[in-house]
Amino acid sequence: MLTCFLVALGLLLLSGEGRFFYANVDWQVRFAVLRDMGINPWPFVYTARAEPDLLRAPIGMFLVPALVFKVLGARAADVALLLQNVTLIALLLALGSQLFADRRSRLIGLTIFILFSGMDAIGDLLMQGTLTGHLEDWAEIQYSSTITLLFWVPQHAIAGWLGAVGYMLWREGRVPLAPWLAVLPLTALWSPLGLMGAMPFAALAGLRTLISRSLLLRDLLAPAASLLLCVPSLIYLAAGSDDVGFHWQPIPFVQWLLFQSFETLPYLIPLAIAERSTRFGRDSLWLAFAWLMLIPFVQIGWSTDFMMRGSITGLAVLAAMVSDHVVQRGERRRWLMVVLAIGSLTGLAEIRRALVYPAAPEVRCSFFKAWDQTFAAFPKGSYLAPLDKVPALIRPVDPAPADAHEPARCWDGSWKLPYDPRNALSDREDGVK
């Protein structure tokens, strides 16, 4: 447990949580949301547009730090966010370590999981002719490495990994079905996309339970009670989500095949053809295989977030399978170790940026102004819902108007963007307004 805590603490410090190191540009918006939740009474609405807007986003990660903000101030909230996420990720790593028999295999499994990634470095060199600052973007679609998830979207990682760890522990007979299924709806307020990515594995677990005729009453009642408890939050997340609908994403076949050839197939094919039995069952492998092949064609919202976040559970299960194959000295382990070595460059590039770029400054402006620093070209619908489109069941009756005062600048100093030859502003100071 101590090792898991130290690993989680070290990585999240480097990710910019707590603002001791550089934080990626997504945190410009997240720090602003935390500030807004800290300085404004709950519930509140933004009044920057003609109609008031409710903050409608997966705010689970911010609830406790925002309460700390109200009592102890902004700096304490930064530290609270760091400690909260470190604790949760350390617990998930510790639970995952129980899948391995001894200290050696646990250390190998932990190392592989932390460094797990597709071979983005080769894709980057192939498409850009150089290694960029953020290797994941080479194909313009993405499955995120473990370190990328921790550095950019820890809330999604926590939700997705909880689904994966719960499934694998259930598959090994370490936990009953009921508590795992019951905890899944609770992750929606952290990451609805991460929750969606866990659903295929929950369905497989349910199907296997039905086939084996081992279904218990508690396996139905516990998840049903949890889902009922989460109904208000699910309604909240769906409120005014016209701009965050479901679409098919028409990816050219060559782009999809090239992407999969460097991201997933170098792991999936060796495991599929390996002679030894696959950990967690062949059905788990084929489910992950099918899911990872198909979800690039699904889009929710204006970006590729669904494939990036909906893949987290499947990729975590795949990483555990790879780890087990290496630990057990399977016949494909040498190939897998080569792929892992190349893939590790993706996470190491994230760590390098944390060490050479300036530490994240304090964000002093609201969500609206922070969003427009880097994301002005994109709609704000993933974070906002017009108040009149919020269902009456959860619509606040007399919400407080958010503080409309904006400072001259959102933050002091620079906030560099990762180097990308396709973006003239990258690796330079952004235009802070």
Side-chain angles (χ1 to χ4, degrees):
M1 181 63 191
L2 178 60
T3 300
C4 295
F5 181 85
L6 293 176
V7 168
L9 177 61
L11 288 173
L12 288 185
L13 278 171
L14 289 170
S15 78
E17 290 194 35
R19 298 193 297 102
F20 297 101
F21 290 90
Y22 174 81
N24 290 297
V25 293
D26 285 13
W27 286 97
Q28 295 172 357
V29 173
R30 293 204 194 99
F31 287 144
V33 168
L34 176 56
R35 169 194 172 274
D36 289 349
M37 292 178 64
I39 67 173
N40 292 302
W42 299 354
F44 64 89
V45 290
Y46 296 105
T47 56
R49 300 195 289 196
E51 298 294 330
D53 290 295
L54 184 71
L55 177 65
R56 193 264 299 119
I59 57 173
M61 182 174 69
F62 303 112
L63 292 174
V64 171
L67 291 174
V68 173
F69 190 119
K70 291 179 179 295
V71 177
L72 299 175
R75 193 71 189 112
D78 292 333
V79 175
L81 179 67
L82 169 67
L83 293 179
Q84 167 193 266
N85 290 351
V86 165
T87 301
L88 293 173
I89 289 169
L91 287 172
L92 288 171
L93 293 176
L95 286 171
S97 72
Q98 300 306 303
L99 297 166
F100 298 92
D102 53 42
R103 181 174 178 81
R104 171 185 168 276
S105 61
R106 288 170 182 170
L107 288 175
I108 292 173
L110 177 62
T111 302
I112 290 176
F113 179 71
I114 294 300
L115 297 178
F116 193 77
S117 174
M119 296 190 289
D120 300 293
I122 296 179
D124 218 25
L125 289 171
L126 180 66
M127 301 302 292
Q128 307 300 329
T130 184
L131 293 179
T132 60
H134 182 52
L135 305 186
E136 302 270 19
D137 288 336
W138 67 272
E140 298 183 355
I141 53 178
Q142 178 188 145
Y143 284 153
S144 303
S145 72
T146 298
I147 292 179
T148 299
L149 290 171
L150 289 173
F151 278 40
W152 290 78
V153 287
Q155 74 278 27
H156 296 291
I158 288 168
W161 292 344
L162 182 60
V165 170
Y167 173 76
M168 292 185 287
L169 289 173
W170 168 81
R171 195 64 189 257
E172 298 276 286
R174 303 288 187 89
V175 299
L177 183 63
W180 172 53
L181 292 182
V183 79
L184 288 180
L186 303 177
T187 66
L189 203 56
W190 282 65
S191 171
L193 300 182
L195 172 61
M196 291 178 195
M199 286 299 96
F201 294 90
L204 178 58
L207 180 61
R208 287 182 62 89
T209 301
L210 289 174
I211 291 173
S212 65
R213 298 184 178 181
S214 57
L215 185 68
L216 302 174
L217 183 60
R218 69 185 184 191
D219 297 332
L220 296 174
L221 293 181
S226 175
L227 184 60
L228 185 64
L229 181 67
C230 293
V231 164
S233 64
L234 296 174
I235 296 174
Y236 163 77
L237 290 169
S241 56
D242 298 347
D243 296 334
V244 195
F246 171 92
H247 314 278
W248 291 109
Q249 183 166 241
I251 298 174
F253 176 76
V254 172
Q255 179 188 5
W256 173 86
L257 182 61
L258 185 65
F259 170 76
Q260 299 287 11
S261 296
F262 289 120
E263 292 291 324
T264 60
L265 294 178
Y267 295 116
L268 289 166
I269 291 177
L271 291 175
I273 65 177
E275 295 180 0
R276 65 182 299 274
S277 60
T278 303
R279 186 82 179 272
F280 315 115
R282 303 291 286 185
D283 53 354
S284 299
L285 174 61
W286 288 114
L287 175 60
F289 202 130
W291 184 251
L292 294 173
M293 291 300 106
L294 293 175
I295 60 171
F297 298 103
V298 178
Q299 181 178 9
I300 295 178
W302 52 266
S303 184
T304 58
D305 276 3
F306 178 70
M307 70 168 291
M308 290 190 289
R309 314 312 168 211
S311 61
I312 293 173
T313 298
L315 290 172
V317 172
L318 179 60
M321 292 178 174
V322 170
S323 299
D324 182 71
H325 194 90
V326 172
V327 166
Q328 301 299 328
R329 299 184 180 276
E331 64 271 22
R332 310 293 175 183
R333 71 183 184 281
R334 292 181 179 175
W335 166 260
L336 292 173
M337 290 176 71
V338 170
V339 177
L340 287 165
I342 298 172
S344 69
L345 297 175
T346 301
L348 295 176
E350 298 292 320
I351 292 174
R352 175 192 174 275
R353 188 165 63 251
L355 296 174
V356 300
Y357 281 12
E362 179 184 1
V363 175
R364 300 190 304 270
C365 57
S366 74
F367 160 79
F368 269 86
K369 188 168 184 176
W371 180 277
D372 289 339
Q373 303 306 300
T374 303
F375 305 103
F378 304 106
K380 299 180 175 73
S382 57
Y383 273 83
L384 300 174
L387 188 61
D388 61 358
K389 291 188 177 182
V390 176
L393 180 65
I394 64 165
R395 185 189 305 143
V397 175
D398 187 23
D403 184 359
H405 173 74
E406 297 283 15
R409 289 170 56 90
C410 272
W411 52 77
D412 295 328
S414 65
W415 200 318
K416 288 188 174 184
L417 310 180
Y419 169 69
D420 186 339
R422 296 166 294 185
N423 182 359
L425 294 177
S426 67
D427 205 36
R428 302 196 326 216
E429 293 187 17
D430 57 7
V432 185
K433 297 185 281 291

